[in-house]
Amino acid sequence: MEQRNHFLDIAKGIAVFLVIITHFSWEESERLRYLFPFWVSMAVPVFMIVFGFVNTASYEKKNIQTLHRAYAPDLLLRKFARFTVPFAIAYVFNIIFHSIMVEKLSLREIIVYFFRGGIGEKGTYYYPVLLQLIFLFPVLYFIMKRYENGLLLCFIMNVLYELLARICLVNGQCYRLLSLRYIFLIAFGCYLYEYNGNKLKSKNWILFLVGTAFIVSTDYFGYEPLTINYWERTCVYAILFFLPLFSFAMEHGQNLRCRFLELSGRASFHIFLVQMLYYNYWEERVGRWMPGRACHLLVNIIICVSVGVVYYYMETPVSRYVMKKLANVPLTEFRLYQVLFLKKGRRETVRFCEKGIDSPLRSEGKLASDSNLTLRLRRR
């Protein structure tokens, strides 16, 4: 069995704590005073890098070498279920809380909000972004695998997307729901798995200085970048300073262990969903009973993390059951074959899946025939 990368769990555990911290009610002056752009704002970039790294490891383990296999429905369905089952359960509570505390929703609104990631703010963009990344990741993976300068290509793609978003006047609500702003971070996760950060070591200080200069100029000196409209603190330029730091930490932190942070990292998606509900409906009510803001923030962290971990333990068996059932559904294995039909002197080629087809073919290379039809099977 492949050993689990505990550093990634720790990184996700820290990141989900930062998510809870950033969603607290801070004044903008406080965010700048406490240097939030340099650490708290890097929470979601951590998740994106880990997403790229983990999915690259999964592709390598399964020896996925073609886009056709990467987009096989069995893989897509399992990834879809992994994110959708916990979100759907949380969304039910989202509807209940909103109906009781705010207003009742129509069926149309319930459907629309589901695909928008939930009702309210505080991270409701995250689920739609994850679903898009399921389909975007294979393209980025093969760009990284097949082109020596794949990381540079992904950076250029990310910059072009930001430019197009500005030219086309994409509004903030639409922009926050699109995963294309994370192209470079996902590619960097792939790069870390493939090269362990070795290729960029000579350029790390350049990335660090460029990213730092961008953050300082935009957040502390009021510079308005020409190509960025929204989310400047996590844009493709701002995160440059963070990449060498994460690469360094990953290289030298492989032996780090912290059971609490590792558990928080494994439960990070569930904690994220819980904090989304908590901040939208309960945080203000809890705050009324708190003696001070520091105590309020501490209680927020304790509630979100503890409830999120409990939710993780309760929901994980459900997700595993659903994914196991999906694995047994016909037409989910999708092993590609080429079948040559020789009928009445005519030669035709079709594709089908090994499972779920009512065919006399049972194994590779076996022939099946009747008076009118001959089938020859060849593994592609």
Side-chain angles (χ1 to χ4, degrees), residues 3-7 9-10 253-262 266:
Q3 186 177 4
R4 188 178 184 91
N5 191 320
H6 299 289
F7 173 81
D9 288 332
I10 291 174
Q254 293 297 325
N255 296 324
L256 286 177
R257 298 299 303 270
C258 177
R259 301 289 184 183
F260 176 65
L261 286 178
E262 289 171 28
R266 293 195 297 272

Side-chain angles (χ1 to χ4, degrees), residues 135-175:
F135 297 94
L136 177 62
F137 177 78
V139 175
L140 300 180
Y141 171 78
F142 284 109
I143 288 176
M144 294 298 297
K145 287 285 287 186
R146 297 180 180 181
Y147 296 98
E148 183 177 354
N149 295 317
L151 190 61
L152 177 60
L153 289 175
C154 290
F155 176 80
I156 294 172
M157 289 166 58
N158 208 146
V159 171
L160 290 176
Y161 164 71
E162 296 288 358
L163 183 60
L164 287 173
R166 175 128 192 171
I167 293 173
C168 298
L169 301 177
V170 175
N171 64 52
Q173 286 297 319
C174 179
Y175 181 87

Side-chain angles (χ1 to χ4, degrees), residues 124-347:
T124 49
Y125 66 90
Y126 194 53
Y127 171 70
V129 165
L130 289 177
L131 291 191
Q132 294 166 59
L133 289 178
I134 293 175
F135 297 94
L136 177 62
F137 177 78
V139 175
L140 300 180
Y141 171 78
F142 284 109
I143 288 176
M144 294 298 297
K145 287 285 287 186
R146 297 180 180 181
Y147 296 98
E148 183 177 354
N149 295 317
L151 190 61
L152 177 60
L153 289 175
C154 290
F155 176 80
I156 294 172
M157 289 166 58
N158 208 146
V159 171
L160 290 176
Y161 164 71
E162 296 288 358
L163 183 60
L164 287 173
R166 175 128 192 171
I167 293 173
C168 298
L169 301 177
V170 175
N171 64 52
Q173 286 297 319
C174 179
Y175 181 87
R176 72 191 288 270
L177 295 175
L178 296 176
S179 65
L180 296 176
R181 57 195 168 109
Y182 295 124
I183 287 176
F184 184 54
L185 285 168
I186 301 297
F188 186 76
C190 300
Y191 158 82
L192 278 183
Y193 183 87
E194 293 290 344
Y195 303 107
N196 198 27
N198 291 327
K199 276 193 172 184
L200 281 182
K201 280 187 176 179
S202 60
K203 304 178 181 65
N204 277 346
W205 65 275
I206 299 176
L207 297 178
F208 180 83
L209 290 177
V210 170
T212 301
F214 180 85
I215 292 174
V216 171
S217 61
T218 54
D219 281 307
Y220 294 91
F221 289 96
Y223 169 71
E224 295 184 5
L226 298 177
T227 58
I228 305 294
N229 253 357
Y230 309 104
W231 296 55
E232 294 174 359
R233 290 173 180 169
T234 57
C235 74
V236 66
Y237 308 117
I239 51 94
L240 290 176
F241 100 95
F242 179 70
L243 302 185
L245 299 180
F246 188 89
S247 179
F248 178 85
M250 189 166 185
E251 181 181 356
H252 298 279
Q254 293 297 325
N255 296 324
L256 286 177
R257 298 299 303 270
C258 177
R259 301 289 184 183
F260 176 65
L261 286 178
E262 289 171 28
L263 174 60
S264 300
R266 293 195 297 272
S268 58
F269 185 48
H270 298 75
I271 296 172
F272 192 100
L273 294 173
V274 167
Q275 69 82 34
M276 185 176 73
L277 296 176
Y278 175 76
Y279 273 109
N280 282 328
Y281 300 105
W282 297 102
E283 190 263 349
E284 185 177 343
R285 291 172 170 82
V286 171
R288 296 170 188 166
W289 299 88
M290 296 296 105
R293 297 182 72 236
C295 181
H296 187 188
L297 177 58
L298 180 61
V299 170
N300 289 352
I301 294 173
I302 292 173
I303 291 175
C304 292
V305 173
S306 58
V307 176
V309 169
V310 171
Y311 179 40
Y312 165 74
Y313 278 116
M314 294 179 65
E315 185 279 328
T316 299
V318 179
S319 291
R320 289 176 178 170
Y321 175 80
V322 171
M323 288 189 284
K324 183 178 179 181
K325 285 295 183 181
L326 288 174
N328 295 326
V329 173
L331 299 180
T332 58
E333 189 165 333
F334 287 85
R335 295 177 182 171
L336 285 183
Y337 292 90
Q338 182 177 335
V339 183
L340 304 180
F341 282 82
L342 305 175
K343 186 176 182 179
K344 296 180 180 180
R346 186 177 60 185
R347 184 184 181 101

Side-chain angles (χ1 to χ4, degrees), residues 49-88:
I49 294 172
V50 172
F51 183 96
F53 187 98
V54 170
N55 280 273
T56 300
S58 176
Y59 274 37
E60 294 291 328
K61 182 180 178 181
K62 295 173 183 175
N63 195 29
I64 296 176
Q65 298 182 355
T66 64
L67 275 175
H68 200 290
R69 177 56 184 150
Y71 284 110
D74 63 326
L75 293 180
L76 297 181
L77 281 174
R78 284 199 290 269
K79 291 181 182 296
F80 180 81
R82 179 186 174 190
F83 297 127
T84 300
V85 173
F87 171 76

